[in-house]
Amino acid sequence: MLEEQDELVVRLRSGDRHAFRQLVDALHPRLLRFVNRLCPPPSVAEEVVQDTWHVVIDRLHTFRGDSRLSTWIFQIATHRARTRAVREGRYAATLLESWDHADPGGDGGLSRFDSRGRWVAPPAGWPPDDPEASAMHQQALARISEVIDQLPEAQRAVVLLRDVEGLDTREVSTILGLSPANVRVLLHRGRHRVRSELEAVWTGRESC
Amino acid sequence: MLKCREVYEIASDYIDGDLGRWARIQMRLHLAMCRHCSRLVRQLEYGRRIVREEAGSTVIESASTARSELLATYDARYAAPSGSGVEPPAHED
Ligand SMILES: [Zn+2]
């Protein structure tokens, strides 16, 4: 697979526009939907992604193949998205330095257990065996987009890269400049938060 | 035997298959006996699926000119003759 990638990079550097077009077609929609969740609205996200491709074209010769090409491109896109979000006043500039500070608090997990590590408020009795067949699933689907958008920025980025784009922990750690351990912690927090919001939908209760 | 609180901490790694062999065995033992934690794991798995279903099906329309503009930029940088690189050929056809 790496040899395949080397060959692709050689073709891209030698002006093979067919190879470039294939790369754009494969990655552009994914970059756009990812960036749009970090830095909406779509018009801004599109500018960021367009910008990303220009950087890719410009810096192809600096790509050293330490990561996959797609990882490298996602990394550039993420950086541009964050820079743009800061410029738009969406995040404080200091957050750009580290994703760690962009993740307030934990998941409130400890308060769910007594001193002996047993559940105080155990998970409610959902989902049923085939949740996707239930009418509640449609309600959950209608709500989930908002839940994703309300995740703290770093959790949101990790959840999207791991669970939507299907990248592995190491790739995500390269893209976000975080240790793999941190990526796993953020994923844990993000998923538990999603779970707790879904519980509210499935049980008709307020989330906690 | 793992405590439920410990299961909570490693459940996300568990559904990714990211636990070591020993932790995975301990986890399975606990899940076989604990209804609460089994639910937790199924809820996390469902959450992962629904996030993928929703966010993964999002299609954001791109301006129709975006792609051709990128190809033109790429050509100008890599495919054009060396030098200024933007001169069109003198004759077409
Ligand atoms: Zn348990």
Side-chain angles (χ1 to χ4, degrees), chain B residues 65-86:
Chain B
T65 53
R67 195 163 166 276
S68 51
E69 191 262 338
L70 282 177
L71 282 169
T73 308
Y74 175 80
D75 283 346
R77 181 83 161 70
Y78 290 95
S82 54
S84 69
V86 287

Side-chain angles (χ1 to χ4, degrees), chain A residues 12 16-17 21 25 28 33 36 46 50 57-58 117 124 126-127 132 137 162-163 184 191 195, chain B residues 4-5 12-13 16 37 39 42-43 46 49 52-53 56 60 62-63 66-67 69 74-75 77-78:
Chain A
L12 288 169
D16 183 339
R17 83 190 312 249
R21 189 188 321 198
D25 287 348
H28 194 80
R33 73 184 179 196
N36 186 50
E46 168 133 45
Q50 201 72 359
I57 292 170
D58 239 36
W126 67 281
E132 276 85 354
H137 180 66
R162 288 283 284 118
D163 289 347
R184 281 198 290 271
R191 282 174 174 172
R195 185 196 75 84
Chain B
C4 296
R5 181 169 50 77
S12 170
D13 287 338
D16 286 334
C37 291
R39 272 183 190 157
R42 280 197 294 124
Q43 291 168 0
Y46 171 69
R49 287 203 306 277
R52 182 174 302 161
E53 181 179 351
I60 305 206
S62 211
R67 195 163 166 276
E69 191 262 338
Y74 175 80
D75 283 346
R77 181 83 161 70
Y78 290 95

Side-chain angles (χ1 to χ4, degrees), chain A residues 9-191:
Chain A
V9 173
V10 169
R11 282 168 63 197
L12 288 169
R13 284 176 181 156
S14 67
D16 183 339
R17 83 190 312 249
H18 180 68
F20 182 71
R21 189 188 321 198
Q22 275 187 331
L23 183 69
V24 171
D25 287 348
L27 276 186
H28 194 80
R30 295 175 64 198
L31 291 168
L32 202 48
R33 73 184 179 196
F34 172 65
V35 167
N36 186 50
R37 295 228 178 237
L38 288 190
C39 188
S43 58
V44 172
E46 168 133 45
E47 278 177 41
V48 168
V49 173
Q50 201 72 359
D51 217 28
T52 300
W53 284 114
H54 284 128
V55 174
V56 169
I57 292 170
D58 239 36
R59 296 195 200 152
L60 255 180
H61 62 281
T62 69
F63 175 71
R64 299 205 319 270
D66 309 333
S67 62
R68 289 168 55 174
L69 185 65
S70 57
T71 305
W72 182 67
I73 296 173
F74 262 101
Q75 191 180 5
I76 294 170
T78 305
H79 185 258
R80 313 290 303 178
R82 304 199 77 217
T83 308
R84 180 64 183 258
V86 167
R87 211 170 75 208
E88 308 257 312
R90 212 166 280 129
Y91 309 116
T94 50
L95 292 190
L96 201 59
E97 299 304 317
S98 163
W99 288 82
D100 299 324
H101 301 290
D103 186 52
D107 53 14
L110 289 183
S111 62
R112 296 170 195 278
F113 301 93
D114 67 18
S115 58
R116 294 164 70 182
R118 293 178 305 202
W119 285 100
V120 173
W126 67 281
D129 280 343
D130 184 6
E132 276 85 354
S134 158
M136 291 305 285
H137 180 66
Q138 295 309 316
Q139 286 190 40
L141 259 183
R143 167 92 176 100
I144 197 70
S145 188
E146 200 182 353
V147 171
I148 297 169
D149 289 339
Q150 285 168 354
L151 289 174
E153 188 201 11
Q155 290 179 24
R156 195 186 328 137
V158 171
V159 165
L160 291 170
L161 291 171
R162 288 283 284 118
D163 289 347
V164 179
E165 301 307 330
L167 307 181
D168 66 30
T169 302
R170 245 189 36 171
E171 291 174 301
V172 176
S173 116
T174 302
I175 291 168
L176 303 181
L178 290 170
S179 71
N182 266 339
V183 168
R184 281 198 290 271
V185 167
L186 289 166
L187 185 61
H188 159 92
R189 288 182 187 165
R191 282 174 174 172

